[in-house]
Amino acid sequence: MTLYTAALIGTGRIGFSLGFDKKREQPASHTMALCKNKNIRLIAAADTDSERLAHWKKYVPHAQTFATSDALYETVHPDIITIAVNEDAHLTECLKAIRAKPRLVILEKPVALNVAEALKIKTCAQENGVPVMVNHERRFARDYNIAADFMHKIGDIQMIRADLFSGLRVYSKEKEATGEYSLLHDGTHLVDIVQFLLKQFCTHTQTEETPLLTEPTITGMHKDEKGDVRNFTASYTTAICPSVTLTMSGRSKFFAFSVDILGTTGRICIGNGFAKCYVRKESKLYTGFYSLAREKTIRFPKKTGYFANMVQNAVDFLDGTAQLVSPLDAAIADLRVLEEIKIFLTQI
């Protein structure tokens, strides 16, 4: 068994404190996921917030702590560096991490605030020979992978609808510099899982189609009194699926995330807290007709392993037994989709 050392930059919510949320499937933070993997030893962390860092130190007493990432890199040289800072610091901290020459960088989503910054990260990674994994967690979740495997059983894909509902503004020009809007913060997950599922369908059907979402038609846009975008729907047509729609709402008094995939002989409905598959069967309601019925042989697990599986993929990659499930190029492709939507939203 090979043991890999790891360091964490950022001990906030996704870096650490979400690991104490009793309602979330655990591990739910980078700290807890790294600590639970038998092939990884978490040896250091850096955070400019001294109180937060002190709290982290109590949980990982054997590790060293630093007030800055610069100080950390001067002292330790980990195999894995995980970047879990706010979006506006992704570029700076990721470039520093890459130049420290670890064997792998794990970068929290999204890659950066925009494509231009993301491409700087890519260039730096290529120049230094350091691979970068982006934590688009649903790619690693067992339920979404079961859904991906089931896609080839539902015939030709007729429609995909992906929805994200929350109370956070969808887009605000005033928040451009910080990324504090859901199009970027949560929308990256929505776009990523749709493109991941489309790619998995291509793999099963052995088609050469590249399922990138381009040239959206924007409808249903709503702006509030401040001019912030609160609703929109983006529609796409691809060679694989003639109707792909992404709907995001920032007016809802709840959080919801869902993907509905309709094929010619079946259907997949999956999202936060639910997952169901349907197949074409002789109808119990109408003679001579077929209906969709729940596929009872498909069993979705109660625990998806989304964070633990991400860290295990990092280990398997370093062992040379697997490719990165969420590589940098795929995450940049997601960012291109989001940026194209943003351009349309600002023009309407």
Side-chain angles (χ1 to χ4, degrees):
M1 180 183 76
T2 303
L3 184 66
Y4 301 104
T5 57
L8 175 67
I9 310 301
T11 59
R13 279 170 51 81
I14 197 67
F16 178 49
S17 64
L18 289 181
F20 299 100
D21 187 337
K22 294 182 180 180
K23 291 186 177 181
R24 290 176 185 258
E25 178 190 323
Q26 294 296 335
S29 71
H30 288 282
T31 296
M32 279 57 173
L34 290 167
C35 286
K36 285 183 179 296
N37 192 290
K38 66 181 184 298
N39 295 94
I40 293 177
R41 180 171 174 79
L42 186 53
I43 62 171
D47 200 309
T48 55
D49 188 320
S50 59
E51 184 176 341
R52 199 161 58 189
L53 193 59
H55 181 46
W56 183 89
K57 175 70 172 178
K58 291 179 181 179
Y59 186 83
V60 196
H62 64 269
Q64 298 183 68
T65 55
F66 301 88
T68 67
S69 57
D70 290 329
L72 185 150
Y73 300 139
E74 289 174 0
T75 307
V76 298
H77 305 283
D79 298 307
I80 301 169
I81 298 175
T82 294
I83 307 298
V85 296
N86 292 338
E87 287 91 342
D88 56 352
H90 278 202
L91 175 62
T92 300
E93 290 299 339
C94 195
L95 292 181
K96 287 182 182 180
I98 292 169
R99 288 166 182 155
K101 299 259 181 105
R103 297 179 65 179
L104 176 67
V105 169
I106 299 175
L107 175 61
E108 188 51 44
K109 60 77 194 170
V111 180
L113 291 175
N114 52 59
V115 174
E117 289 188 356
L119 292 177
K120 290 180 181 179
I121 291 174
K122 179 178 179 178
T123 297
C124 186
Q126 290 175 333
E127 290 176 347
N128 288 275
V130 176
V132 178
M133 170 199 285
V134 181
N135 185 29
H136 279 117
E137 60 191 39
R138 287 169 180 80
R139 286 178 175 246
F140 304 96
R142 294 188 188 97
D143 52 351
Y144 279 94
N145 278 277
I146 290 172
D149 290 340
F150 192 75
M151 284 187 70
H152 73 287
K153 297 181 180 180
I154 66 173
D156 294 331
I157 307 301
Q158 301 185 80
M159 178 204 78
I160 296 178
R161 174 174 175 170
D163 298 327
L164 170 63
F165 303 128
S166 75
L168 179 64
R169 68 188 74 82
V170 171
Y171 174 74
S172 171
K173 188 173 180 59
E174 291 183 358
K175 301 296 182 180
E176 183 80 32
T178 62
E180 295 177 69
Y181 53 91
S182 65
L183 177 65
L184 184 67
H185 187 73
D186 295 306
T188 184
H189 280 307
L190 197 71
V191 169
D192 184 73
I193 198 58
V194 169
Q195 298 208 115
F196 173 73
L197 290 171
L198 283 171
K199 184 174 182 179
Q200 294 302 104
F201 179 77
C202 291
T203 301
H204 282 301
T205 57
Q206 298 181 333
T207 176
E208 297 297 323
E209 168 67 14
T210 302
L212 297 181
L213 305 177
T214 60
E215 299 181 0
T217 298
I218 304 295
T219 58
M221 190 177 76
H222 172 83
K223 292 184 178 181
D224 62 20
E225 64 280 358
K226 295 181 180 180
D228 292 348
V229 177
R230 290 285 176 175
N231 279 87
F232 79 88
T233 294
S235 301
Y236 301 85
T237 296
T238 74
I240 299 172
C241 178
S243 177
V244 179
T245 61
L246 309 177
T247 296
M248 298 187 198
S249 166
R251 303 171 68 195
S252 304
K253 296 182 179 180
F254 58 87
F255 184 85
F257 186 107
S258 63
V259 180
D260 188 354
I261 306 168
L262 181 67
T264 52
T265 60
R267 187 175 190 174
I268 300 168
C269 302
I270 188 168
N272 287 9
F274 68 93
K276 298 178 182 179
C277 292
Y278 301 86
V279 291
R280 173 183 178 268
K281 292 185 179 180
E282 188 173 341
S283 179
K284 294 181 180 180
L285 303 175
Y286 313 105
T287 301
F289 283 80
Y290 287 87
S291 299
L292 291 182
R294 183 83 176 268
E295 179 52 80
K296 296 180 180 179
T297 62
I298 301 297
R299 297 185 180 276
F300 288 92
K302 291 183 178 180
K303 286 199 170 185
T304 69
Y306 67 100
F307 231 120
N309 291 343
M310 183 273 291
V311 172
Q312 187 58 48
N313 180 235
V315 170
D316 294 341
F317 173 76
L318 292 177
D319 283 345
T321 61
Q323 297 296 313
L324 292 178
V325 172
S326 187
L328 180 60
D329 280 343
I332 292 176
D334 298 331
L335 203 55
R336 290 187 188 280
V337 174
L338 296 171
E339 197 156 289
E340 189 173 30
I341 291 173
K342 184 174 67 176
I343 291 172
F344 278 88
L345 295 180
T346 57
Q347 291 176 343
I348 298 176

